[in-house]
Amino acid sequence: MTEFTILWIALPLFIGFSIPLLPSAARLLTLGIPLFSVAYATALFSRPAPLDLRLLDSFGVALWADQLSAWFILTNALVTAAVLIYSWDGPKTKFFYTQLLVLHGSVNATFICADLISLYVALEVVGMTTFLLIAYPRTDRTLWVALRYLFISNVAMLFYLVGAVLVYRTHQSFAFEGLRGAPAEAPALILMALLTKGGIFVSGLWLPATNTAAESQISAMMSGAVEKAGVFPLLRFALVLEEFEPIVQAFGVATAVLGVTYALAATDAKRVLACSTLSQLGWLLVAPAVAGFYALAHGLAKAALFLTVGQLPQRDLATLRQQPMPTALWLPLTLGGLSISGAPLLAGFGAKTLTLEALGPWQGMAMNGAAVGTAAVYAKLISLPHRGGAQTSSWPQVPLGLGLALGLLLGGAIAANVAYLDAYSGAKLIKALVLIGAGWLVYALLRRPAALELPAGPEAFEHLLGGMGVMLIVLFWMVWSWSIT
């Protein structure tokens, strides 16, 4: 397994940088890498014990791969494969495929890092390749959003590096366990950086504008896999260092509520999905032990939704209510929305049920409210009118690549439904349906007579930097007053 792991880490980089030499085989070479990741995730699921690989033991540099890693690796593999299939017949150059492979490999690396310095390197590569992919269309809008993302990401990682150095100076080790006993500044800096990188709470308000402005396949990649690279280390901290779990859960609840509030106020279909991603990342943090299944369920559904919305001729929901869309586009919107809402027979039902069961009383109350809000958000898309056949001939035809990508993603969401069959009891089914029904009722009440409006100021560039400062102060207070170190 050790040799398999080293090969699996190195192969995306090797193939990615070989693509310029073999441009005619770029698509096939790229497709092979996520398939290899599926095989690696399957091998991890079958292992009775986690893989513990010590690389530089004197510095605490190590890899740790377990079933939590396997869920995230599988999510990254399926989303990457779907994005590749979607782009297969498009005009993408070999540069796009190289960056896609490097991004896939670096995101995977964050899922098995067990030390602060390896994680820093992996996250920096994730940030740079994501910047290049957002900027790929070379429009004024995408260039500005890409530069904005790069600046926020680099500032966050600068804070992270200072925190990592403080940990090393205390223990002469970069191992995650070194956060225990380090000065309070160290965990505060590192947590703030990861919360920013993962798009969590107010320091993650860069996310809605970025995911909305990027190309649909890049939005699918970011929401389905990339943003989870910042969240995963927080889950690992909460599981390895139990004193960090209350902080991680508190930010998870706050993010779920904040994101769903922004999504309810959004009137652009793609922005609805982007704000919903903010909320769903919070769902991952509230129950670290079962976050892997939730990551898969969300990644598959959200990638399908972004790819589908990318086919709409315009995204204003009020206009879409006046123009029935083809049923071939409405159906994936509905299935993806129902899965994230927690409807039975889809992966989101088992994932949401498992998450709610793992919560304490106060977290459970807040997250049940967030679940109602999530159902209300997706009622916006599910309630859009649709027609089949010649009545929608003015709309563009659904490309074959989109159909295949949606088949992979939504087929995976249906198949993954069997991962938690204990959810299919009478009480749990009734609870899920009640939450969804309550959400649709909330949507009906909010739709008329007045729309919910939120100020755009907190998403402004200068306020994002201010938000990071506020988060750092709050985290320092939490770490210090909660006796974390």
Side-chain angles (χ1 to χ4, degrees):
M1 192 67 184
T2 299
E3 292 78 8
F4 189 14
T5 300
I6 299 299
L7 178 63
W8 169 72
I9 292 173
L11 204 56
L13 299 178
F14 177 75
I15 296 295
F17 291 118
S18 299
I19 281 178
L21 302 175
L22 301 165
S24 59
R27 294 175 177 82
L28 288 175
L29 289 172
T30 306
L31 183 59
I33 295 302
L35 296 178
F36 194 54
S37 292
V38 170
Y40 185 77
T42 304
L44 283 180
F45 279 124
S46 64
R47 279 180 63 87
L51 173 70
D52 184 6
L53 185 56
R54 301 286 160 176
L55 300 178
L56 294 171
D57 206 19
S58 58
F59 293 96
V61 177
L63 303 177
W64 178 271
D66 56 6
Q67 294 207 354
L68 181 65
S69 307
W71 284 111
F72 281 80
I73 292 167
L74 181 60
T75 304
N76 187 24
L78 293 176
V79 171
T80 304
V83 167
L84 175 64
I85 293 169
Y86 176 85
S87 308
W88 196 274
D89 291 327
K92 302 300 184 190
T93 64
K94 54 185 180 297
F95 176 82
F96 174 84
Y97 295 106
T98 296
Q99 298 309 319
L100 187 63
L101 277 186
V102 174
L103 180 61
H104 175 79
S106 55
V107 169
N108 275 342
T110 66
F111 299 149
I112 62 169
C113 285
D115 66 275
L116 297 171
I117 199 66
S118 298
L119 180 62
Y120 171 78
V121 174
L123 287 174
E124 283 286 39
V125 178
V126 169
M128 287 186 286
T129 50
T130 302
F131 159 73
L132 291 171
L133 286 170
I134 296 172
Y136 183 83
R138 304 293 194 271
T139 65
D140 291 345
R141 178 63 178 163
T142 56
L143 285 172
W144 161 244
V145 171
L147 288 169
R148 177 176 174 265
Y149 168 82
L150 184 66
F151 185 86
I152 296 296
S153 174
N154 283 353
V155 170
M157 293 313 295
L158 180 62
F159 284 119
Y160 176 97
L161 189 58
V162 173
V165 170
L166 289 173
V167 170
Y168 183 80
R169 194 174 69 170
T170 304
H171 300 288
Q172 287 71 56
S173 171
F174 288 111
F176 285 166
E177 291 80 0
L179 286 168
R180 181 181 286 145
E185 300 93 314
L189 288 165
I190 291 172
L191 288 174
M192 188 278 289
L194 294 176
L195 289 170
T196 302
K197 194 82 177 176
I200 300 300
F201 199 47
V202 295
S203 60
L205 286 177
W206 57 267
L207 188 153
T210 306
N211 284 12
T212 303
E215 286 187 303
S216 292
Q217 57 267 56
I218 304 306
S219 300
M221 191 70 195
M222 292 181 68
S223 185
V226 174
E227 281 140 13
K228 294 177 175 66
V231 170
F232 185 86
L234 296 167
L235 301 174
R236 187 66 85 196
F237 291 169
L239 294 173
V240 174
L241 308 166
E242 64 277 5
E243 58 267 44
F244 282 81
E245 188 171 11
I247 294 181
V248 170
Q249 286 183 315
F251 278 105
V253 171
T255 305
V257 175
L258 178 70
V260 85
T261 305
Y262 268 80
L264 283 171
T267 57
D268 178 297
K270 201 172 179 185
R271 182 174 166 82
V272 169
L273 300 181
C275 294
S276 169
T277 295
L278 185 69
S279 175
Q280 296 301 304
L281 292 172
W283 278 86
L284 295 182
L285 293 180
V286 294
V290 297
F293 184 27
Y294 202 98
L296 177 68
H298 171 254
L300 296 177
K302 188 55 68 66
L305 288 166
F306 268 118
L307 294 180
T308 305
V309 166
Q311 296 300 308
L312 302 180
Q314 48 78 37
R315 305 188 314 235
D316 179 65
L317 290 173
T319 306
L320 288 172
R321 291 189 192 102
Q322 308 302 320
Q323 299 177 356
M325 69 175 69
T327 301
L329 292 178
W330 175 82
L331 189 58
L333 285 181
T334 298
L335 288 176
L338 287 174
S339 182
I340 296 179
S341 299
L345 303 180
L346 295 163
F349 169 62
K352 191 151 284 184
T353 302
L354 189 62
T355 300
L356 290 173
E357 288 176 349
L359 301 179
W362 76 268
Q363 297 105 328
M365 187 179 302
M367 296 310 290
N368 277 314
V372 172
T374 300
V377 166
Y378 286 99
K380 292 182 178 185
L381 303 180
I382 295 170
S383 64
L384 291 174
H386 64 97
R387 291 175 182 168
Q391 291 175 298
T392 58
S393 58
S394 60
W395 285 62
Q397 294 295 314
V398 177
L400 176 62
L402 173 63
L404 294 174
L406 292 177
L408 173 64
L409 294 167
L410 295 176
I414 295 171
N417 175 53
V418 302
Y420 186 55
L421 291 176
D422 289 347
Y424 287 91
S425 68
K428 294 171 184 173
L429 284 167
I430 291 172
K431 180 179 178 180
L433 295 176
V434 167
L435 290 175
I436 294 173
W440 290 2
L441 179 61
V442 169
Y443 167 67
L445 294 174
L446 288 180
R447 184 179 170 185
R448 294 192 179 103
L452 179 64
E453 294 185 5
L454 294 177
E459 296 182 66
F461 180 66
E462 61 273 22
H463 291 169
L464 292 176
L465 297 176
M468 291 169 65
V470 172
M471 288 281 285
L472 182 58
I473 294 170
V474 171
L475 280 165
F476 182 77
W477 172 80
M478 294 174 79
V479 171
W480 177 74
S481 63
W482 293 9
S483 300
I484 297 298
T485 62

